[in-house]
Amino acid sequence: MSAARAPPAGLPAAPRLLDVLRRSLMKDLRLEWRSKDAINSMLFFALLVVVIFSFGFDPTAEESRKIAGGLLWVAILFATVVALNQTWTRELRNQVLDAYRLSPAPAESLFLSKTLGNFLFVTILEMLMVPLFVVFYNLRSVGPVWQL
């Protein structure tokens, strides 16, 4: 007797994790490409944090250069929370979670696709925010990466 059973006659097999993950990730990326809700809110929020902290600290002072890395992480983490909230709000607003519960798709595929999608969005945010931090806080942009 094998551990994996075939579906009863006439019923389709349950979708596999990687297939559902890929389709759900592509759906999220396509929705974000069309609406740009998460990216715009992440960029706006992170830029707001950068500007407010640059007013609060003297960007030319040595102390602000020492804390710029922490400020960058604060901006990125707060912006990530905003993006995560918007990602799941979209799914709740359109009753996608209810449809997922009724479907035979693996439940972890939705979580993994949201994780990968938000990882991509945060990576894009980081690539855009690091040059802004270099400009706003007069950081060195040459030398070993770990010293920036």
Side-chain angles (χ1 to χ4, degrees), residues 81-121:
V81 169
V82 169
L84 283 171
N85 183 30
Q86 283 197 336
T87 302
W88 287 103
T89 301
R90 182 186 303 147
E91 303 298 335
L92 288 171
R93 183 176 51 232
N94 296 326
Q95 285 92 23
V96 173
L97 295 179
D98 294 335
Y100 250 79
R101 275 188 249 146
L102 294 174
S103 75
E108 59 270 9
S109 63
L110 178 66
F111 176 75
L112 289 173
S113 69
K114 295 291 181 196
T115 302
L116 289 174
N118 281 309
F119 176 77
L120 290 173
F121 300 149

Side-chain angles (χ1 to χ4, degrees), residues 30-38 40 90:
R30 191 171 38 250
L31 280 172
E32 184 57 33
W33 180 257
R34 290 177 183 165
S35 69
K36 296 185 181 47
D37 287 338
N40 286 340
R90 182 186 303 147

Side-chain angles (χ1 to χ4, degrees), residues 1-128:
M1 185 177 221
S2 67
R5 288 195 234 171
L11 291 177
R16 293 188 309 202
L17 175 80
L18 291 178
D19 292 336
V20 177
L21 176 102
R22 181 181 54 82
R23 288 181 183 175
S24 183
L25 179 62
M26 293 308 292
K27 175 198 66 112
D28 285 342
L29 293 176
R30 191 171 38 250
L31 280 172
E32 184 57 33
W33 180 257
R34 290 177 183 165
S35 69
K36 296 185 181 47
D37 287 338
I39 291 290
N40 286 340
S41 63
M42 286 172 64
L43 276 173
F44 178 74
F45 190 79
L47 184 62
L48 188 66
V49 169
V50 170
V51 170
I52 288 174
F53 281 146
S54 73
F55 288 146
F57 301 107
D58 183 17
T60 59
E62 186 62 32
E63 292 86 27
S64 76
R65 287 191 192 114
K66 289 180 181 177
I67 62 171
L71 295 178
L72 177 66
W73 278 110
V74 166
I76 289 172
L77 289 176
F78 282 163
T80 303
V81 169
V82 169
L84 283 171
N85 183 30
Q86 283 197 336
T87 302
W88 287 103
T89 301
R90 182 186 303 147
E91 303 298 335
L92 288 171
R93 183 176 51 232
N94 296 326
Q95 285 92 23
V96 173
L97 295 179
D98 294 335
Y100 250 79
R101 275 188 249 146
L102 294 174
S103 75
E108 59 270 9
S109 63
L110 178 66
F111 176 75
L112 289 173
S113 69
K114 295 291 181 196
T115 302
L116 289 174
N118 281 309
F119 176 77
L120 290 173
F121 300 149
V122 170
T123 302
I124 292 168
L125 175 73
E126 288 175 3
M127 289 189 297
L128 295 172

Side-chain angles (χ1 to χ4, degrees), residues 140 142-148:
R140 292 176 296 157
V142 294
V145 174
W146 59 273
Q147 287 183 345
L148 294 177

